[in-house]
Amino acid sequence: MLTQLRRDHANMARMLHVLQLKQKTLSTGERPNFQLVREVVDYILDYMEGFTLPLERICTERLQEKAPESGEVTEQLAKDYRGLRERLKRLSGDIDMILMDAIVPMDRFSDDLRAYLESHRAYLRDERELLFPLIQQHFDEQELLHFAELLPEGATAQLERLQEAYPELYAELREAPAPMA
C-alpha cells in the first residue's frame, strides 16, 4: 500500500506539473487551454473525494488507535487537506466562469493557481515526510494490505480511465517529467 501511495504521489505531482505549465502560460499574459485546466481540476477533485478522503479516514483512525501521539500530525494534515480542497473548489468555480466568458481577472486567477500549487506540493511533501514514516513504523504488511482492500480503486486505474476520457490531458501527463522522490 505504501508503494501505491508513493505512485499516487508521483501521479499527482505530474498533474500539478501540468497545472504549473498552464499557470506559467497565464503569467506571461497568454491564455492557456482552460478546458484542459478544467479536466485536471475535475480529476484532482474526483481523486480527492474518491480516494484520498477514504484513505485519510482509514489511516487516521487506525493510526490514532495505535499511536495516539500521531494525532497532532494527522490533525494538521487533515486541516491542510481541507484547505486544499477549498482552494481547488474556488479555482473550479473561477474556471467555470472563464469558460462561460465571464470576466475573471487573469492575474488574480494566476496568483490563486500558483498559491494552490505551492500548497498542494507542500501537503504532498508533509505526507511523504511525516505521515508515510508513521504508517511504515506502526503498520505491518498485513495491516497495509487490509487497508488497501478497504479503499476504492487506486489512482492507477483512474489514470487508465483518464487516458480514455481525456486524451489531450493524458498526453500532457505522459510528457510531464517524473517528479523528484
Side-chain angles (χ1 to χ4, degrees), residues 26-61:
L26 262 175
S27 69
T28 64
E30 295 179 48
R31 189 174 173 92
N33 177 345
F34 279 106
Q35 189 58 47
L36 183 64
V37 175
R38 155 63 49 225
E39 292 172 5
V40 175
V41 168
D42 285 348
Y43 175 84
I44 293 173
L45 282 170
D46 288 347
Y47 182 78
M48 288 176 138
E49 296 297 322
F51 185 75
T52 309
L53 282 176
L55 175 64
E56 178 184 295
R57 187 175 50 253
I58 291 166
C59 274
T60 299
E61 289 172 4

Side-chain angles (χ1 to χ4, degrees), residues 169-181:
L169 172 56
Y170 186 77
E172 289 225 20
L173 283 176
R174 291 194 48 89
E175 293 173 17
M180 301 292 277

Side-chain angles (χ1 to χ4, degrees), residues 110-181:
S110 178
D111 290 345
D112 290 349
L113 182 55
R114 184 177 53 252
Y116 162 75
L117 291 167
E118 290 169 1
S119 295
H120 203 137
R121 285 192 176 108
Y123 176 81
L124 291 176
R125 184 188 62 245
D126 288 347
E127 268 194 336
R128 204 172 41 250
E129 293 174 1
L130 303 173
L131 182 62
F132 288 8
L134 288 171
I135 290 171
Q136 197 165 16
Q137 178 183 357
H138 294 287
F139 298 119
D140 61 28
E141 192 61 35
Q142 186 175 0
E143 288 171 302
L144 293 175
L145 288 172
H146 178 68
F147 289 166
E149 292 169 2
L150 298 174
L151 292 173
E153 320 177 40
T156 303
Q158 289 186 14
L159 276 177
E160 290 168 10
R161 285 194 305 278
L162 180 70
Q163 179 180 6
E164 295 170 15
Y166 305 112
E168 186 178 349
L169 172 56
Y170 186 77
E172 289 225 20
L173 283 176
R174 291 194 48 89
E175 293 173 17
M180 301 292 277

